Amino acid sequence: MSRASALLLVLLVLGVGLGLMLKDNGGKKAAPAFSFSPSSNVAPAPAVQTAPVPEPSSALPPAKAPLPPVTAQTDLAEAASAMQNLASKGNVTQTTTGAVEGGKSVKVLEEQIEYLQGQVDILRKENSTLLDRLATLTAPAKGTGAMPPQSPQSQNPAACEPPKPESEKEAPDFVGVGIEIVRTRELKDVPIPTISVDRAVVQKHIAKWLETQFPADHGKLQGRALVALGAIPEPVDTVALKAQFLSHQIGAWYVPEEQSLYLASEGELPVGMERKENALGLSYGYLFKRFGSKLFPSGSKPLTLDARLAHDCVLAGDASLTRFLHALKHPASGGGGGVGEDPDDPSRSVPIPNFLRQLELAAFLGGFDFMQALHSIGEWEQVNATYNRLPKTGAEVLDPQLYLNETPFALQPIDFADLKVNDAAPFWQDTMGPMATVIFLRAHAPEPIAADTAPGWANDRLFTYAAGDKPRGHAVWQTLWRDSNAADAFFSAMREAQLSRYKGSKPATNAPSGVFMLETGERTVIMQRTNKGYGVLFVDAADAGFAKAAVERFVK
């Protein structure tokens, strides 16, 4: 018999005793019966099923055993009804002495009921803790239905005890925190089994998933293209670095095939740093489980950098918002996860160029602002609706009103009949988008000047070409803007950025009006207004011949 059932049995016995006592007192009238409303005194039981709490010496129930619901509310109501029937049975006249004694007994019984209600609440919390522990212990091993190797803590019966105070600096109860996050986000989900592993394991799972999102050579080709543009200094595999950096920024990954969430163990923390739950990783994992297939369907055509970043902003922003709201409810321990800007932050060990690092962080920072704006309009219902109509571009993320307009945002077309320059085809084509454009500009231009270009962005296309045996190829970047003023702002920002990047080089004085030219000795930079003043063509080439040929090919 469970503790809750035993307590309710005691309550029923007390009721029977009271009825017999009142009858034996010789009274001819029953004491006034009291009214008991379980719904007004006992909090509704959670919707999830809970298991009875075993005695300390008992073993955990089998993982597949049914978990009976807590029905304290109904049992208390039935017990109260039984007591009322016993107290009122006979309907006889009661003496003054019997009424006083009966009233005292009822008072004692009311105190017992209040005590038992408190015990039921405690049992409900203990059952919830036990369910969380069971979810951890029943995490399926990879490729089998067996339980994974258990840590010493999970093998110890003490693991079923309630979490100890944070002052004891134990590892966080990630499953318990996960339930808090599910409630904060108002998701209808069950606890995800969590497995604490080395960070390299999390990185491996992220990299494996990214393989389903990009062609095999995507990362290396994109790295070469960004070098040609001047966004990063040396060629890198952008996809591999993405996996490595996200293992720090998210610090977790949900694996659908295993229905498990892998969390990177933090190891020893620096002196003075408080250990907190990785609320960001947990939030990301639960949201990825729920919405990942909508955002990133496997086997679909690779998105442009701009569109991919917009989709990243939805999930990363949702996770960041969930972490923020969770921290408001749990200020002492909430808000964990994510990388820091401290030079000693562990993520600094990842050899990722700053441009790529800022791109990944933009998904969380810009995405937070976007999802917070939607949440303020329609709460979680509006946030959930975003997954059914995803933003097409970063412009909608930066301006939620643009996303919410009845007329969907449409990219201005950029079409070229022939992309070959000097009979060479580009090895890379992409759309940078307004967010990546701002990040690119602010590497060499003041932040306000770079940021001011974003609202006027209408579309862009980046083409990069090999430059023979030279390590850095040619870049041709056509941008379109909302109006001529926005095009002016971008032209001015790019001019300042190039002069800062190629210090010591002076612009050509014989360049035509509306054309910026810069000879650095190794590179030739030409920037010219196009598309009736609404466009800007930027060419950064390894030789002057290619730069001039590109201008002739693409200027409209």
Side-chain angles (χ1 to χ4, degrees):
M1 179 183 297
S2 67
R3 289 173 58 188
S5 300
L7 290 173
L8 294 175
L9 180 60
V10 171
L11 180 60
L12 184 59
V13 172
L14 287 174
V16 174
L18 174 61
L20 294 176
M21 181 186 67
L22 293 177
K23 182 176 181 181
D24 293 342
N25 281 336
K28 301 304 180 182
K29 184 177 180 180
F34 63 88
S35 174
F36 179 78
S37 175
S39 61
S40 63
N41 293 285
V42 180
V48 297
Q49 291 183 322
T50 55
V53 179
E55 296 297 328
S57 60
S58 64
L60 286 171
K64 300 299 183 180
L67 301 175
V70 176
T71 57
Q73 192 173 9
T74 304
D75 294 341
L76 285 175
E78 293 175 355
S81 177
M83 287 186 289
Q84 287 180 349
N85 294 334
L86 287 172
S88 60
K89 186 176 182 181
N91 194 23
V92 294
T93 305
Q94 184 180 19
T95 63
T96 303
T97 302
V100 172
E101 292 178 352
K104 291 181 180 179
S105 299
V106 169
K107 179 64 176 177
V108 171
L109 195 56
E110 289 176 338
E111 293 175 353
Q112 292 291 333
I113 291 173
E114 182 178 357
Y115 167 76
L116 291 173
Q117 288 173 351
Q119 293 298 308
V120 169
D121 290 339
I122 293 174
L123 285 172
R124 185 180 292 116
K125 293 179 181 179
E126 291 179 351
N127 286 340
S128 177
T129 300
L130 181 59
L131 178 62
D132 300 345
R133 299 293 183 186
L134 286 172
T136 303
L137 294 175
T138 56
K142 182 176 181 181
T144 68
M147 293 172 59
Q150 298 181 6
S151 64
Q153 290 81 3
S154 64
Q155 295 173 356
N156 190 338
C160 294
E161 298 177 357
K164 296 182 179 180
E166 290 184 3
S167 58
E168 297 188 25
K169 296 184 178 180
E170 288 189 352
D173 179 6
F174 287 117
V175 174
V177 177
I179 292 181
E180 294 174 359
I181 287 172
V182 168
R183 292 171 179 169
T184 298
R185 181 56 178 79
E186 298 182 8
L187 292 173
K188 295 181 180 180
D189 206 341
V190 296
I192 300 177
T194 57
I195 306 174
S196 183
V197 295
D198 186 79
R199 191 175 304 279
V201 177
V202 174
Q203 177 183 336
K204 178 181 177 181
H205 284 297
I206 297 176
K208 183 177 180 180
W209 176 76
L210 289 175
E211 290 177 359
T212 68
Q213 299 293 302
F214 302 106
D217 58 350
H218 181 96
K220 293 182 178 180
L221 289 177
Q222 186 181 46
R224 288 176 55 197
L226 293 176
V227 170
L229 181 62
I232 61 177
E234 297 177 354
V236 296
D237 186 338
T238 60
V239 175
L241 288 177
K242 182 182 183 75
Q244 192 173 352
F245 181 75
L246 289 182
S247 72
H248 289 268
Q249 170 63 8
I250 302 174
W253 198 255
Y254 174 73
V255 181
E257 297 80 6
E258 303 178 24
Q259 298 183 7
S260 299
L261 180 63
Y262 287 84
L263 286 154
S265 57
E266 297 181 0
E268 294 294 331
L269 295 179
V271 178
M273 182 177 293
E274 182 182 3
R275 184 183 298 276
K276 291 188 175 183
E277 302 95 334
N278 184 0
L280 181 63
L282 289 166
S283 300
Y284 197 99
Y286 276 92
L287 292 168
F288 183 85
K289 176 188 176 186
R290 175 72 178 275
F291 301 111
S293 60
K294 290 186 176 182
L295 282 166
F296 312 111
S298 59
S300 59
K301 182 180 178 180
L303 301 173
T304 65
L305 188 155
D306 176 46
R308 180 83 191 192
L309 184 54
H311 288 197
D312 283 339
C313 283
V314 173
L315 187 58
D318 195 351
S320 299
L321 176 61
T322 302
R323 175 183 67 168
F324 172 75
L325 296 177
H326 173 262
L328 292 181
K329 296 181 180 180
H330 307 274
S333 57
V339 302
E341 293 302 318
D342 192 294
D344 295 329
D345 188 88
S347 67
R348 294 294 180 180
S349 63
V350 180
I352 185 171
N354 188 61
F355 175 80
L356 296 176
R357 180 187 179 93
Q358 295 304 316
L359 274 182
E360 298 300 335
L361 293 178
F364 293 85
L365 300 175
F368 173 84
D369 293 339
F370 176 65
M371 298 305 271
Q372 185 182 44
L374 297 182
H375 182 267
S376 66
I377 295 172
E379 299 189 344
W380 294 120
E381 183 179 358
Q382 180 65 58
V383 171
N384 290 340
T386 309
Y387 291 93
N388 295 322
R389 188 176 75 83
L390 298 171
K392 299 178 181 179
T393 170
E396 295 178 290
V397 174
L398 294 175
D399 184 1
Q401 191 58 49
L402 193 65
Y403 168 78
L404 294 171
N405 281 346
E406 293 183 4
T407 303
F409 178 81
L411 296 171
Q412 295 298 317
I414 298 178
D415 298 316
F416 296 106
D418 187 1
L419 298 178
K420 290 184 178 180
V421 178
N422 292 341
D423 294 326
F427 69 82
W428 185 259
Q429 302 182 44
D430 209 345
T431 296
M432 296 284 285
M435 300 176 75
T437 297
V438 171
I439 294 172
F440 174 75
L441 286 173
R442 71 185 183 195
H444 299 286
E447 171 74 24
I449 295 177
D452 285 346
T453 64
W457 181 90
N459 198 1
D460 74 72
R461 292 295 293 167
L462 172 66
F463 310 105
T464 57
Y465 303 78
D469 57 354
K470 295 181 179 179
R472 184 180 173 191
H474 314 293
V476 178
W477 189 17
Q478 175 68 64
T479 61
L480 290 180
W481 302 89
R482 181 184 57 199
D483 52 40
S484 60
N485 290 334
D488 285 341
F490 176 74
F491 190 97
S492 177
M494 278 293 287
R495 184 179 187 277
E496 184 165 350
Q498 296 307 304
L499 290 174
S500 175
R501 174 182 175 82
Y502 298 111
K503 295 183 183 298
S505 300
K506 295 182 179 181
T509 57
N510 59 346
S513 177
V515 176
F516 171 78
M517 297 182 63
L518 192 66
E519 292 283 353
T520 70
E522 295 182 352
R523 307 289 296 184
T524 298
V525 175
I526 301 177
M527 187 164 53
Q528 184 171 338
R529 298 293 290 273
T530 63
N531 297 77
K532 300 179 180 179
Y534 287 79
V536 176
L537 178 70
F538 173 78
V539 179
D540 191 338
D543 61 73
F546 184 93
K548 294 178 180 178
V551 170
E552 293 176 359
R553 169 67 67 186
F554 293 108
V555 168
K556 289 186 178 181

